[in-house]
Amino acid sequence: MSDQFELTCRLPLLDEQGLLTRPGYARAPFWDYRREAVKASSLRRKEWDYYLISNGRFALALTISDLGYAGMHTVSLIDLEARRETTCSSLGSPPGKKDKLPEQSEYGNCHASGRGFGMHFLNDGKNRTLIVQMRRFAKEGPLSARIELTEEPQDSMCIATPFEEPGCFYYNRKIPCLRASGTVSCGGRDYVFDPADSFAVLDWGRGVWPGHVTWYWSAASGMTPDGTRTFGFNLGYGFGDTSAATENMLFCDGRAHKLGEVHFEIPMTDKGKYDYMKAPWHISSEDGRLDLAFKPVLDRKSHTNLLAVKSDQHQVFGHFSGRAVLDDGEEILLQEFPGFAERVENKW
């Protein structure tokens, strides 16, 4: 691809016509998103805060989202050692003005509640606290969780991309390698996240989307093989026109290292369908700085077919092995590095 444009100063995300002022990427959230600047129908607007907390043995995934025509909130508890997961989702009315998701990712709180559950994402600008209470978490009984996220890295992945469809855009910030501590209590068991080996990623998205889209995303956070530095990555495509920039980055000790285009090679069945649990997947970058084999452990899959939403989601957890090269040429060799890779198709 051509040279990627990096934004290094603040500016409004949208112009007076509701179009992106400057597509590209940044290492900090320099674009200012204002909901009132969006010219498309509110039914087309999609906003979400998604957190995944994991230590490679178990994980908690939390989503508060506003799909424009509805609020969709999800809690998933994933036991990777037992190879099982439980997910509960709530689809309700879109949030009112007081409950809208924050227009910035640096600070601000968001809340979701319904019959028998409450979710609260608190962010004072320094630390993030995630609180969940569910009276009935599927057949597991009640679930409660309180997670503290600290040590936000210096750099994050921020990208503003247009779509071919007029008026559509995506503004996204992903923060990997957040230190996580806390406990999830469910089914008579406590799942304890120790900050020594537990990390979180935030996926903060705001945009106007086409009615049909397919994306690929992979993320992982942990320590370098020698145990001295934090290391992670964010990889993906399908989130719009990436001719100005991709969202592909490596992260080492809080600093971002930019990659070009990447490609996910997912095994196929004899009938030409994706075989998500077959090993290995292959993820590589066009610049030769990334070459990973991915061995699946568990497919957190979801098939939704409602009047307003049709979705086929496969978030596959597993382990990465291979090589990643930082900007200065240092090679990081990964062996059984925990993370996930996903393919999601939405009609919304």
Side-chain angles (χ1 to χ4, degrees):
M1 65 179 296
S2 59
D3 291 340
Q4 302 180 56
F5 175 78
E6 180 179 2
L7 184 69
T8 57
C9 61
R10 298 198 77 96
L11 84 168
L13 177 70
L14 302 174
D15 62 19
E16 294 181 355
Q17 286 73 45
L19 304 177
L20 289 176
T21 55
R22 190 58 172 94
Y25 80 95
R27 300 166 199 263
F30 289 134
W31 288 277
D32 291 324
Y33 171 71
R34 293 292 179 264
R35 203 168 285 117
E36 63 184 15
V38 178
K39 302 304 181 183
S41 165
S42 62
L43 299 178
R44 302 283 303 281
R45 192 181 62 237
K46 319 296 178 191
E47 302 182 351
W48 61 73
D49 285 18
Y50 168 87
Y51 288 93
L52 175 71
I53 307 96
S54 178
N55 58 13
R57 301 182 301 280
F58 48 84
L60 179 70
L62 306 172
T63 306
I64 295 178
S65 66
D66 177 2
L67 301 181
Y69 45 77
M72 174 71 84
H73 318 302
T74 302
V75 178
S76 294
L77 183 60
I78 303 113
D79 189 328
L80 295 167
E81 293 180 322
R83 300 198 176 198
R84 67 186 183 93
E85 63 93 12
T86 302
T87 296
C88 285
S89 297
S90 172
L91 181 65
S93 301
K97 290 184 178 181
K98 292 184 179 180
D99 298 322
K100 290 292 186 185
L101 278 73
E103 292 183 316
Q104 66 287 317
S105 58
E106 297 99 319
Y107 61 88
N109 307 325
C110 57
H111 311 275
S113 61
R115 187 175 182 181
F117 89 96
M119 298 173 63
H120 310 278
F121 297 168
L122 311 179
N123 176 14
D124 63 7
K126 294 182 180 179
N127 299 312
R128 299 170 187 265
T129 303
L130 315 177
I131 302 170
V132 183
Q133 294 285 344
M134 297 194 78
R135 189 180 306 157
R136 191 173 187 84
F137 184 63
K139 298 179 180 180
E140 308 295 331
L143 177 146
S144 63
R146 184 182 180 95
I147 308 296
E148 304 286 342
L149 304 181
T150 58
E151 297 184 27
E152 185 170 312
Q154 177 177 332
D155 292 344
S156 56
M157 192 295 301
C158 303
I159 192 166
T161 55
F163 290 88
E164 290 184 2
E165 188 170 331
C168 291
F169 68 90
Y170 184 43
Y171 179 32
N172 185 214
R173 185 185 188 195
K174 294 195 174 87
I175 309 176
C177 299
L178 292 157
R179 290 278 184 178
S181 62
T183 302
V184 183
S185 298
C186 182
R189 176 181 172 183
D190 288 341
Y191 299 82
V192 180
F193 291 105
D194 184 332
D197 66 358
S198 301
F199 296 90
V201 59
L202 165 64
D203 173 13
W204 185 95
R206 307 290 187 266
V208 174
W209 285 75
H212 184 195
V213 66
T214 300
W215 73 64
Y216 300 78
W217 179 36
S218 178
S221 301
M223 302 296 294
T224 54
D226 61 8
T228 62
R229 295 174 291 173
T230 59
F231 178 79
F233 55 75
N234 183 83
L235 311 170
Y237 54 98
F239 303 98
D241 177 3
T242 56
S243 59
T246 74
E247 67 167 54
N248 305 313
M249 285 184 176
L250 308 174
F251 294 88
C252 191
D253 254 2
R255 301 305 299 265
H257 301 256
K258 193 71 180 66
L259 301 176
E261 298 279 0
V262 301
H263 182 65
F264 289 36
E265 295 179 35
I266 305 173
M268 308 290 286
T269 67
D270 293 338
K271 296 182 178 180
K273 295 185 178 182
Y274 289 106
D275 192 348
Y276 291 99
M277 289 301 294
K278 185 176 180 179
W281 297 27
H282 185 215
I283 301 178
S284 59
S285 65
E286 65 169 10
D287 53 22
R289 291 174 50 194
L290 183 78
D291 191 359
L292 299 176
F294 176 65
K295 182 170 67 176
V297 171
L298 181 146
D299 181 5
R300 187 176 79 92
K301 55 187 176 181
S302 173
H303 299 276
T304 303
N305 191 352
L306 303 174
L307 290 177
V309 180
K310 292 183 180 180
S311 180
D312 182 20
Q313 304 185 21
H314 292 267
Q315 184 180 35
V316 182
F317 293 84
H319 299 97
F320 295 89
S321 297
R323 60 188 287 273
V325 180
L326 305 182
D327 287 344
D328 62 2
E330 180 185 357
E331 187 175 70
I332 305 293
L333 297 178
L334 303 177
Q335 187 67 36
E336 298 290 304
F337 194 75
F340 71 87
E342 71 178 29
R343 179 183 181 273
V344 174
E345 181 179 7
N346 281 331
K347 294 181 180 180
W348 53 1

